[in-house]
mmCIF file of all heavy atoms in Angstrom:
data_model
loop_
_atom_site.group_PDB
_atom_site.id
_atom_site.type_symbol
_atom_site.label_atom_id
_atom_site.label_comp_id
_atom_site.label_asym_id
_atom_site.label_seq_id
_atom_site.Cartn_x
_atom_site.Cartn_y
_atom_site.Cartn_z
ATOM 1 N N ALA A 32 5.588 -39.093 38.515
ATOM 2 C CA ALA A 32 6.059 -40.548 38.378
ATOM 3 C C ALA A 32 6.973 -40.640 37.200
ATOM 4 O O ALA A 32 7.943 -41.410 37.195
ATOM 5 C CB ALA A 32 4.840 -41.445 38.259
ATOM 6 N N LEU A 33 6.641 -39.933 36.120
ATOM 7 C CA LEU A 33 7.459 -40.082 34.835
ATOM 8 C C LEU A 33 8.903 -39.341 35.103
ATOM 9 O O LEU A 33 9.898 -39.883 34.723
ATOM 10 C CB LEU A 33 6.742 -39.447 33.633
ATOM 11 C CG LEU A 33 5.601 -40.136 33.097
ATOM 12 C CD1 LEU A 33 4.875 -39.327 32.119
ATOM 13 C CD2 LEU A 33 6.071 -41.482 32.515
ATOM 14 N N VAL A 34 8.889 -38.327 35.748
ATOM 15 C CA VAL A 34 10.147 -37.593 36.051
ATOM 16 C C VAL A 34 10.950 -38.389 36.955
ATOM 17 O O VAL A 34 12.147 -38.588 36.772
ATOM 18 C CB VAL A 34 9.802 -36.136 36.581
ATOM 19 C CG1 VAL A 34 11.109 -35.620 37.129
ATOM 20 C CG2 VAL A 34 9.189 -35.256 35.628
ATOM 21 N N ALA A 35 10.352 -39.014 37.953
ATOM 22 C CA ALA A 35 11.102 -39.786 39.003
ATOM 23 C C ALA A 35 11.721 -41.089 38.295
ATOM 24 O O ALA A 35 12.780 -41.503 38.621
ATOM 25 C CB ALA A 35 10.229 -40.175 40.170
ATOM 26 N N SER A 36 11.092 -41.572 37.296
ATOM 27 C CA SER A 36 11.568 -42.861 36.646
ATOM 28 C C SER A 36 12.600 -42.516 35.552
ATOM 29 O O SER A 36 13.192 -43.337 35.023
ATOM 30 C CB SER A 36 10.453 -43.589 36.042
ATOM 31 O OG SER A 36 9.849 -42.883 34.985
ATOM 32 N N GLY A 37 12.868 -41.119 35.257
ATOM 33 C CA GLY A 37 13.936 -40.857 34.298
ATOM 34 C C GLY A 37 13.422 -40.700 32.872
ATOM 35 O O GLY A 37 14.126 -40.680 31.955
ATOM 36 N N CYS A 38 12.027 -40.788 32.700
ATOM 37 C CA CYS A 38 11.530 -40.631 31.443
ATOM 38 C C CYS A 38 11.532 -39.153 30.819
ATOM 39 O O CYS A 38 11.550 -38.220 31.573
ATOM 40 C CB CYS A 38 10.019 -41.009 31.381
ATOM 41 S SG CYS A 38 9.809 -42.785 31.672
ATOM 42 N N ARG A 39 11.607 -39.084 29.522
ATOM 43 C CA ARG A 39 11.658 -37.730 28.944
ATOM 44 C C ARG A 39 10.336 -37.515 28.148
ATOM 45 O O ARG A 39 9.965 -38.496 27.517
ATOM 46 C CB ARG A 39 12.857 -37.579 27.898
ATOM 47 C CG ARG A 39 14.136 -37.407 28.526
ATOM 48 C CD ARG A 39 15.163 -37.090 27.580
ATOM 49 N NE ARG A 39 16.412 -36.701 28.226
ATOM 50 C CZ ARG A 39 17.424 -36.091 27.681
ATOM 51 N NH1 ARG A 39 17.244 -35.697 26.431
ATOM 52 N NH2 ARG A 39 18.457 -35.759 28.360
ATOM 53 N N ILE A 40 9.914 -36.381 28.245
ATOM 54 C CA ILE A 40 8.589 -36.036 27.447
ATOM 55 C C ILE A 40 8.937 -34.977 26.488
ATOM 56 O O ILE A 40 9.581 -33.929 26.908
ATOM 57 C CB ILE A 40 7.534 -35.535 28.477
ATOM 58 C CG1 ILE A 40 7.210 -36.564 29.523
ATOM 59 C CG2 ILE A 40 6.340 -35.171 27.629
ATOM 60 C CD1 ILE A 40 6.261 -36.119 30.574
ATOM 61 N N TYR A 41 8.808 -35.311 25.139
ATOM 62 C CA TYR A 41 9.071 -34.339 24.043
ATOM 63 C C TYR A 41 7.690 -33.748 23.715
ATOM 64 O O TYR A 41 6.808 -34.480 23.305
ATOM 65 C CB TYR A 41 9.737 -35.007 22.863
ATOM 66 C CG TYR A 41 11.072 -35.528 23.243
ATOM 67 C CD1 TYR A 41 11.322 -36.762 23.508
ATOM 68 C CD2 TYR A 41 12.146 -34.574 23.125
ATOM 69 C CE1 TYR A 41 12.622 -37.263 23.753
ATOM 70 C CE2 TYR A 41 13.433 -35.018 23.408
ATOM 71 C CZ TYR A 41 13.681 -36.384 23.788
ATOM 72 O OH TYR A 41 14.948 -36.769 23.912
ATOM 73 N N MET A 42 7.572 -32.404 23.762
ATOM 74 C CA MET A 42 6.397 -31.794 23.250
ATOM 75 C C MET A 42 6.755 -30.701 22.289
ATOM 76 O O MET A 42 7.565 -29.870 22.451
ATOM 77 C CB MET A 42 5.770 -31.106 24.484
ATOM 78 C CG MET A 42 5.324 -32.076 25.629
ATOM 79 S SD MET A 42 4.616 -31.198 26.931
ATOM 80 C CE MET A 42 3.023 -30.676 26.285
ATOM 81 N N HIS A 43 6.144 -30.888 21.088
ATOM 82 C CA HIS A 43 6.312 -30.015 19.984
ATOM 83 C C HIS A 43 5.063 -30.150 19.070
ATOM 84 O O HIS A 43 4.283 -31.191 19.136
ATOM 85 C CB HIS A 43 7.536 -30.148 19.122
ATOM 86 C CG HIS A 43 8.013 -31.477 18.844
ATOM 87 N ND1 HIS A 43 7.507 -32.149 17.784
ATOM 88 C CD2 HIS A 43 8.811 -32.330 19.417
ATOM 89 C CE1 HIS A 43 8.045 -33.318 17.682
ATOM 90 N NE2 HIS A 43 8.868 -33.441 18.702
ATOM 91 N N ASP A 44 4.824 -29.156 18.293
ATOM 92 C CA ASP A 44 3.481 -28.996 17.620
ATOM 93 C C ASP A 44 3.285 -30.003 16.466
ATOM 94 O O ASP A 44 2.151 -30.261 16.071
ATOM 95 C CB ASP A 44 3.276 -27.550 17.052
ATOM 96 C CG ASP A 44 4.451 -27.161 16.166
ATOM 97 O OD1 ASP A 44 5.402 -27.770 16.137
ATOM 98 O OD2 ASP A 44 4.257 -26.220 15.385
ATOM 99 N N ASP A 45 4.347 -30.591 15.903
ATOM 100 C CA ASP A 45 4.209 -31.428 14.672
ATOM 101 C C ASP A 45 4.234 -32.902 14.999
ATOM 102 O O ASP A 45 4.451 -33.692 14.099
ATOM 103 C CB ASP A 45 5.022 -30.961 13.555
ATOM 104 C CG ASP A 45 6.499 -31.012 13.903
ATOM 105 O OD1 ASP A 45 6.812 -31.190 15.161
ATOM 106 O OD2 ASP A 45 7.258 -30.816 13.044
ATOM 107 N N TRP A 46 4.145 -33.314 16.225
ATOM 108 C CA TRP A 46 4.131 -34.777 16.543
ATOM 109 C C TRP A 46 2.866 -35.427 15.959
ATOM 110 O O TRP A 46 1.872 -34.666 15.978
ATOM 111 C CB TRP A 46 4.127 -34.936 18.055
ATOM 112 C CG TRP A 46 4.228 -36.281 18.422
ATOM 113 C CD1 TRP A 46 3.171 -37.119 18.734
ATOM 114 C CD2 TRP A 46 5.380 -37.087 18.540
ATOM 115 N NE1 TRP A 46 3.698 -38.385 19.122
ATOM 116 C CE2 TRP A 46 5.002 -38.345 18.894
ATOM 117 C CE3 TRP A 46 6.706 -36.817 18.393
ATOM 118 C CZ2 TRP A 46 5.967 -39.402 19.155
ATOM 119 C CZ3 TRP A 46 7.605 -37.923 18.599
ATOM 120 C CH2 TRP A 46 7.207 -39.208 18.990
ATOM 121 N N PRO A 47 2.823 -36.604 15.390
ATOM 122 C CA PRO A 47 3.720 -37.511 15.198
ATOM 123 C C PRO A 47 4.461 -37.515 13.892
ATOM 124 O O PRO A 47 5.107 -38.471 13.485
ATOM 125 C CB PRO A 47 2.923 -38.755 15.285
ATOM 126 C CG PRO A 47 1.530 -38.373 14.661
ATOM 127 C CD PRO A 47 1.425 -36.933 15.017
ATOM 128 N N ARG A 48 4.363 -36.390 13.073
ATOM 129 C CA ARG A 48 5.049 -36.379 11.732
ATOM 130 C C ARG A 48 6.520 -36.431 11.940
ATOM 131 O O ARG A 48 7.196 -37.001 11.064
ATOM 132 C CB ARG A 48 4.603 -35.073 10.994
ATOM 133 C CG ARG A 48 3.177 -35.160 10.513
ATOM 134 C CD ARG A 48 2.898 -34.006 9.876
ATOM 135 N NE ARG A 48 2.508 -32.888 10.792
ATOM 136 C CZ ARG A 48 2.604 -31.654 10.727
ATOM 137 N NH1 ARG A 48 2.860 -31.170 9.590
ATOM 138 N NH2 ARG A 48 2.205 -30.826 11.671
ATOM 139 N N ARG A 49 7.058 -35.827 12.893
ATOM 140 C CA ARG A 49 8.505 -35.817 13.182
ATOM 141 C C ARG A 49 8.934 -36.425 14.494
ATOM 142 O O ARG A 49 8.443 -35.935 15.536
ATOM 143 C CB ARG A 49 9.038 -34.326 13.079
ATOM 144 C CG ARG A 49 10.449 -34.309 13.202
ATOM 145 C CD ARG A 49 10.948 -32.784 13.195
ATOM 146 N NE ARG A 49 10.431 -32.105 14.323
ATOM 147 C CZ ARG A 49 10.513 -30.874 14.663
ATOM 148 N NH1 ARG A 49 11.105 -30.032 13.875
ATOM 149 N NH2 ARG A 49 10.124 -30.414 15.760
ATOM 150 N N PRO A 50 9.711 -37.527 14.479
ATOM 151 C CA PRO A 50 10.033 -38.020 15.763
ATOM 152 C C PRO A 50 10.988 -37.147 16.582
ATOM 153 O O PRO A 50 11.663 -36.394 15.994
ATOM 154 C CB PRO A 50 10.672 -39.403 15.452
ATOM 155 C CG PRO A 50 11.211 -39.171 13.983
ATOM 156 C CD PRO A 50 10.135 -38.276 13.438
ATOM 157 N N PRO A 51 11.143 -37.313 17.880
ATOM 158 C CA PRO A 51 12.028 -36.444 18.615
ATOM 159 C C PRO A 51 13.436 -36.783 18.244
ATOM 160 O O PRO A 51 13.797 -37.890 17.732
ATOM 161 C CB PRO A 51 11.690 -36.949 20.036
ATOM 162 C CG PRO A 51 11.114 -38.146 20.065
ATOM 163 C CD PRO A 51 10.315 -38.344 18.730
ATOM 164 N N PRO A 52 14.327 -35.811 18.372
ATOM 165 C CA PRO A 52 15.704 -36.073 18.062
ATOM 166 C C PRO A 52 16.306 -37.111 19.038
ATOM 167 O O PRO A 52 15.954 -37.263 20.101
ATOM 168 C CB PRO A 52 16.428 -34.693 18.165
ATOM 169 C CG PRO A 52 15.583 -33.970 19.101
ATOM 170 C CD PRO A 52 14.167 -34.481 18.941
ATOM 171 N N PRO A 53 17.433 -37.827 18.509
ATOM 172 C CA PRO A 53 18.139 -38.719 19.429
ATOM 173 C C PRO A 53 18.682 -38.063 20.639
ATOM 174 O O PRO A 53 18.952 -36.805 20.622
ATOM 175 C CB PRO A 53 19.326 -39.235 18.580
ATOM 176 C CG PRO A 53 18.780 -38.965 17.148
ATOM 177 C CD PRO A 53 17.932 -37.799 17.169
ATOM 178 N N ARG A 54 18.936 -38.767 21.617
ATOM 179 C CA ARG A 54 19.409 -38.177 22.948
ATOM 180 C C ARG A 54 20.811 -37.396 22.688
ATOM 181 O O ARG A 54 21.611 -38.043 22.067
ATOM 182 C CB ARG A 54 19.599 -39.365 23.930
ATOM 183 C CG ARG A 54 19.487 -38.976 25.354
ATOM 184 C CD ARG A 54 19.488 -40.157 26.216
ATOM 185 N NE ARG A 54 18.800 -39.648 27.431
ATOM 186 C CZ ARG A 54 18.456 -40.466 28.397
ATOM 187 N NH1 ARG A 54 18.667 -41.749 28.330
ATOM 188 N NH2 ARG A 54 17.915 -39.979 29.480
ATOM 189 N N GLY A 55 20.827 -36.249 23.305
ATOM 190 C CA GLY A 55 21.974 -35.443 23.166
ATOM 191 C C GLY A 55 22.034 -34.595 21.994
ATOM 192 O O GLY A 55 22.936 -33.697 21.902
ATOM 193 N N GLU A 56 21.257 -34.753 21.074
ATOM 194 C CA GLU A 56 21.209 -33.851 19.828
ATOM 195 C C GLU A 56 20.159 -32.712 20.097
ATOM 196 O O GLU A 56 19.149 -32.966 20.640
ATOM 197 C CB GLU A 56 20.837 -34.633 18.551
ATOM 198 C CG GLU A 56 21.951 -35.493 18.128
ATOM 199 C CD GLU A 56 21.558 -36.146 16.773
ATOM 200 O OE1 GLU A 56 20.650 -35.575 16.033
ATOM 201 O OE2 GLU A 56 22.211 -37.122 16.407
#
Side-chain angles (χ1 to χ4, degrees):
L33 289 172
V34 170
S36 65
C38 292
R39 286 188 171 198
I40 300 172
Y41 293 97
M42 297 178 72
H43 45 84
D44 59 338
D45 58 351
W46 183 266
R48 289 179 278 158
R49 182 182 68 182
R54 203 170 205 173
E56 288 186 21

